[in-house]
C-alpha cells in the first residue's frame, strides 16, 4: 500500500498531531502519496457551530498549509489536498462553489448525517429503522450521482442493527451504483482499529461477491495511524475472509 487518501488534521477538533507529523509517519511507513482529507467545513448559518469539522474561515489556512508542505516534501512524497465531504442537498451547491475556488485535488464522501447535520440523524447511531437505512442509501446515491466524489468512505457507516437481509437489500444498491459508475468503496482502517461496527463482514462479503472495486483508507486521526494494513492486527484476516482485492491506484475525480 503506497497511497493513502484519508488523513485528518486537528482542525476537525477530534484529531491529534501536526501535518508534518502525519507526513513524516507516511514516509517512514513507505507511502509515496499522502492525501489529506479533513472534514470539510459546511456553509451553515452563523448560529450553528459544528463540533466535528473546521469552520469555513479555516479552509484557506488548511489549503495554504498543505500547499507549503507539498512543496517542501516534493522530493520525498506526493501530497494531495482533499476533503472528506458529506452530501447535504441544502448546502452542497454553495459548498461546491467554495471548494472549486481553491486548489483542492479531490473530495471523498463520508455521509455522517441524513439529511444533514442540523436537521437530521447521525448515520453511526444504532438503529433498527428500515426507513433510516433507506434514507442513508438514497442520500449516498444522490450525492455520488453528482460525479464529484472520488470514492465512498466507510460505506457501511449506517449502523443498522436489524436483520442482515434488510441491511443487504438496501445497501446492495450502493454496490450496484459503485459498479455501474466505477466508484471505489473504502475499507476503513480506523473503524477496524477501534472495533466499532464498520467495516462489517455483512457489507463487504456482499460487495466482494458483486465485484466492487475497493480502496483502503487509513482514516488517520493520529500520525501513527498512517500505517500499512499489515501493521493493524486482524485487518489482513478481514480482507482475506471477505475475498477483498484492493487497489490504491484510483482515478481522482475533478471538482
Amino acid at each position: 500500500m503506497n497511497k493513502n487518501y484519508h488523513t485528518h488534521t486537528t482542525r476537525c477538533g477530534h484529531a491529534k498531531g501536526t501535518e508534518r507529523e502525519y507526513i513524516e509517519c507516511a514516509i517512514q511507513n513507505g507511502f509515496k502519496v499522502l492525501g489529506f482529507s479533513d472534514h470539510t467545513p459546511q456553509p451553515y448559518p452563523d448560529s450553528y457551530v459544528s463540533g466535528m469539522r473546521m469552520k469555513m474561515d479555516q479552509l484557506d489556512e488548511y489549503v495554504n498549509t498543505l500547499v507549503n508542505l507539498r512543496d517542501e516534501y516534493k522530493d520525498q512524497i506526493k501530497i494531495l489536498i482533499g476533503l472528506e465531504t458529506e452530501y447535504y442537498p441544502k448546502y452542497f451547491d454553495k459548498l461546491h462553489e467554495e471548494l472549486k475556488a481553491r486548489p483542492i485535488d479531490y473530495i471523498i464522501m463520508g455521509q455522517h448525517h441524513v439529511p444533514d447535520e442540523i436537521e437530521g440523524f447521525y448515520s453511526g447511531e444504532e438503529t433498527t429503522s428500515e426507513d433510516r437505512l433507506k434514507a442513508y442509501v438514497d442520500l449516498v446515491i444522490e450525492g455520488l450521482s453528482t460525479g464529484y466524489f472520488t470514492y465512498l468512505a466507510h460505506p457501511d457507516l449506517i449502523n443498522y442493527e436489524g436483520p442482515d437481509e434488510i441491511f443487504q437489500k438496501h445497501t446492495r444498491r450502493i454496490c450496484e451504483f459503485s459498479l455501474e459508475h466505477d466508484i471505489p468503496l473504502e475499507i476503513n482502517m480506523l473503524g477496524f482499529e477501534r472495533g466499532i461496527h464498520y467495516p462489517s463482514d455483512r457489507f463487504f462479503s456482499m460487495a466482494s461477491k458483486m465485484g466492487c472495486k475497493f480502496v483502503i483508507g487509513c482514516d488517520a486521526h493520529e500520525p501513527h495511524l498512517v500505517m500499512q494494513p499489515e501493521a493493524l492486527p486482524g485487518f489482513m484476516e478481514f480482507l482475506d475472509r471477505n475475498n477483498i482485492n484492493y487497489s490504491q491506484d484510483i482515478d481522482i475525480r475533478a471538482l
Side-chain angles (χ1 to χ4, degrees):
M1 180 173 164
N2 61 1
K3 301 175 183 177
N4 172 55
Y5 305 93
H6 198 165
T7 315
H8 289 272
T9 78
T10 56
R11 293 169 191 80
C12 68
H14 56 276
K16 301 176 182 177
T18 66
E19 293 87 350
R20 188 179 300 278
E21 289 174 316
Y22 285 93
I23 294 169
E24 293 287 349
C25 280
I27 293 170
Q28 291 168 15
N29 289 327
F31 289 88
K32 303 301 181 184
V33 176
L34 182 64
F36 281 87
S37 51
D38 205 4
H39 292 284
T40 190
Q42 290 284 352
Y44 290 145
D46 292 340
S47 58
Y48 183 84
V49 178
S50 172
M52 61 166 288
R53 64 187 71 252
M54 70 179 85
K55 298 177 182 178
M56 192 62 73
D57 61 11
Q58 293 178 286
L59 182 58
D60 285 329
E61 190 268 337
Y62 169 75
V63 171
N64 292 337
T65 297
L66 295 178
V67 166
N68 291 334
L69 288 167
R70 180 184 64 190
D71 294 341
E72 180 181 342
Y73 282 91
K74 64 183 178 181
D75 294 330
Q76 300 177 67
I77 191 170
K78 182 177 182 179
I79 303 297
L80 296 176
I81 303 171
L83 289 162
E84 182 182 6
T85 305
E86 293 86 359
Y87 175 73
Y88 295 155
K90 189 172 182 178
Y91 305 103
F92 188 75
D93 287 346
K94 185 174 180 180
L95 174 64
H96 186 227
E97 290 301 314
E98 293 282 355
L99 302 187
K100 282 200 305 181
R102 294 165 172 86
I104 293 170
D105 296 308
Y106 68 97
I107 57 174
I108 59 176
M109 176 185 280
Q111 196 62 39
H112 294 94
H113 297 85
V114 178
D116 60 59
E117 189 176 357
I118 299 177
E119 299 177 343
F121 64 88
Y122 173 54
S123 303
E125 180 181 325
E126 286 189 18
T127 183
T128 57
S129 168
E130 185 175 355
D131 288 342
R132 283 194 171 192
L133 173 62
K134 181 179 182 299
Y136 170 82
V137 172
D138 288 345
L139 194 59
V140 165
I141 291 174
E142 182 180 340
L144 293 177
S145 297
T146 64
Y148 298 126
F149 292 94
T150 287
Y151 76 64
L152 176 59
H154 35 63
D156 50 346
L157 174 61
I158 184 68
N159 195 1
Y160 177 72
E161 294 293 319
D164 287 353
E165 58 267 26
I166 299 297
F167 175 81
Q168 292 182 336
K169 179 184 79 170
H170 290 286
T171 56
R172 74 177 292 112
R173 292 192 290 120
I174 291 176
C175 298
E176 289 167 348
F177 190 92
S178 164
L179 280 165
E180 182 179 355
H181 297 276
D182 196 32
I183 298 174
L185 305 176
E186 180 199 73
I187 305 104
N188 188 276
M189 289 176 63
L190 182 67
F192 192 91
E193 190 266 341
R194 290 181 174 176
I196 53 180
H197 65 281
Y198 65 87
S200 65
D201 289 284
R202 66 176 179 172
F203 179 84
F204 281 98
S205 62
M206 173 184 67
S208 176
K209 290 175 183 175
M210 292 176 67
C212 292
K213 180 184 290 186
F214 301 110
V215 60
I216 291 179
C218 293
D219 196 0
H221 285 69
E222 297 181 52
H224 74 276
L225 294 176
V226 184
M227 65 170 70
Q228 292 294 330
E230 295 85 355
L232 181 57
F235 189 74
M236 297 306 294
E237 287 80 1
F238 175 86
L239 299 182
D240 291 341
R241 183 168 67 246
N242 292 295
N243 298 308
I244 289 174
N245 294 310
Y246 68 92
S247 174
Q248 303 302 102
D249 295 323
I250 62 176
D251 294 328
I252 300 294
R253 295 175 182 246
L255 288 170

